[in-house]
Amino acid sequence: MDDLAATNRTDGEKGAADASAAPGTDGGPMPGGRAQPKTDKSEATRALILETAMRLFQERGYEKTTMRAIATEAGVSVGNAYYYFSAKEFLIQGFYDRMTHDHAAEARLRMAHTRDFAERLQIALASWLDTAAPYHEFAAQFFRTAADPTSSLSPFSNESHPARAVAVNLFRDVLQGSELAPKLDAELVELLPDVLWLHLMVVVLYWVFDRTEDTERTREFVRRSTPMAARVINLSRYRVFRPIVRDAKGLIQDFILPTIGKTAVK
């Protein structure tokens, strides 16, 4: 009843408008109704709201956590909470943004001392599982949002481009920092980071539905699929496989990359 995003949109919008004039909340709107912090204070407020929401989602579950409860727990007004996240579901985008940056930093740290491509790829995927582990209990809500092809919160949407770019750049580093990159066709090297990100999305989908302890089946999927992916990519450098590689590149360029939003909506 008290989730203003669901029952009283007018009050939520009014609260967001009031908050836009409050000190320390001078950012303009981001795509999808999210506010863009422009000061240290506003960034700290946004981070506090997001961290509080993540904690409450873990403790109470997503459905039972309201925007009013998040605002109260964070010690901010409901209007201020709506200024940064125009509805509860937009906290998912905030979570996606933050976790993507945390994952990239952790993966780069772990793979700093190896140049083996298969090992670097497995580290990148396993690091995501470790970073996401605390949030597995309410991951189904993320999937419901991401599965809607019209949602601005989908990982494939234009609005999600900044976070997705961080992830794709990580996979670019996975490849470029390996011994394999100089041996591959330059055009394939350019396409692979996006393809490797799509591989991560397959892992994420499996992880969402995995109910084994410590998502062990997903971890085993990563351990077994990564060497296979590395071998296929490695084989692409041999002349006999060049026609297949060209066909694969054509499919990726014509059918896969066009489905991924490339720019953020102004």
Side-chain angles (χ1 to χ4, degrees):
M1 289 289 292
D2 70 343
D3 190 339
L4 301 185
T7 63
N8 199 339
R9 176 57 54 198
T10 302
D11 288 349
E13 291 170 352
K14 182 179 184 296
D18 291 344
S20 66
T25 55
D26 57 350
M30 291 178 68
R34 293 175 289 128
Q36 173 64 63
K38 291 186 178 180
T39 68
D40 291 343
K41 182 178 179 181
S42 58
E43 175 58 36
T45 302
R46 184 178 189 276
L48 173 62
I49 294 168
L50 180 59
E51 288 166 9
T52 301
M54 293 301 106
R55 176 170 58 81
L56 292 181
F57 289 165
Q58 288 176 270
E59 293 174 359
R60 307 177 185 180
Y62 179 84
E63 297 297 341
K64 294 181 180 179
T65 301
T66 65
M67 285 292 281
R68 183 179 294 279
I70 293 167
T72 299
E73 193 77 10
V76 301
S77 70
V78 177
N80 213 12
Y82 274 113
Y83 174 77
Y84 289 103
F85 301 96
S86 64
K88 190 173 68 171
E89 59 265 27
F90 284 104
L91 287 157
I92 297 173
Q93 183 68 64
F95 162 80
Y96 180 45
D97 293 343
R98 189 181 72 174
M99 202 182 78
T100 299
H101 282 85
D102 290 348
H103 165 228
E106 179 66 18
R108 287 189 174 99
L109 185 64
R110 293 188 191 184
M111 67 183 184
H113 302 296
T114 180
R115 296 194 68 240
D116 180 78
F117 172 71
E119 186 175 351
R120 289 171 68 86
L121 180 57
Q122 183 163 331
I123 288 171
L125 296 173
S127 295
W128 188 92
L129 295 176
D130 291 339
T131 303
Y135 310 103
H136 185 253
E137 289 304 313
F138 56 91
Q141 176 60 40
F142 303 154
F143 174 72
R144 283 199 296 271
T145 303
D148 182 356
T150 66
S151 173
S152 63
L153 305 183
S154 165
F156 297 90
S157 70
N158 286 339
E159 289 85 353
S160 294
H161 173 70
R164 186 172 57 251
V166 171
V168 171
N169 281 335
L170 169 63
F171 286 108
R172 183 169 289 108
D173 287 351
V174 168
L175 180 61
Q176 295 287 7
S178 75
E179 86 296 345
L180 182 60
K183 304 173 185 178
L184 298 178
D185 178 90
E187 188 177 356
L188 184 60
V189 169
E190 183 61 28
L191 290 174
L192 272 175
D194 282 298
V195 176
L196 294 175
W197 176 79
L198 288 171
H199 180 53
L200 172 62
M201 293 297 100
V202 173
V203 171
V204 171
L205 178 60
Y206 195 92
W207 174 83
V208 166
F209 292 100
D210 187 356
R211 290 297 176 263
T212 59
E213 185 174 357
D214 194 29
T215 58
E216 180 53 37
R217 284 187 64 84
T218 307
R219 294 178 185 277
E220 182 63 19
F221 175 76
V222 168
R223 284 191 289 266
R224 292 176 59 177
S225 66
T226 301
M228 292 176 58
R231 283 197 294 270
V232 170
I233 293 170
N234 186 52
L235 286 172
S236 70
R237 62 195 177 98
Y238 295 106
R239 185 181 301 275
V240 66
F241 294 105
R242 290 293 173 83
I244 298 174
V245 172
R246 282 196 296 270
D247 289 344
K249 286 192 296 188
L251 285 172
I252 293 167
Q253 289 172 320
D254 295 342
F255 294 97
I256 297 178
L257 296 186
T259 68
I260 304 174
K262 287 296 183 181
T263 58
V265 174
K266 300 292 186 181

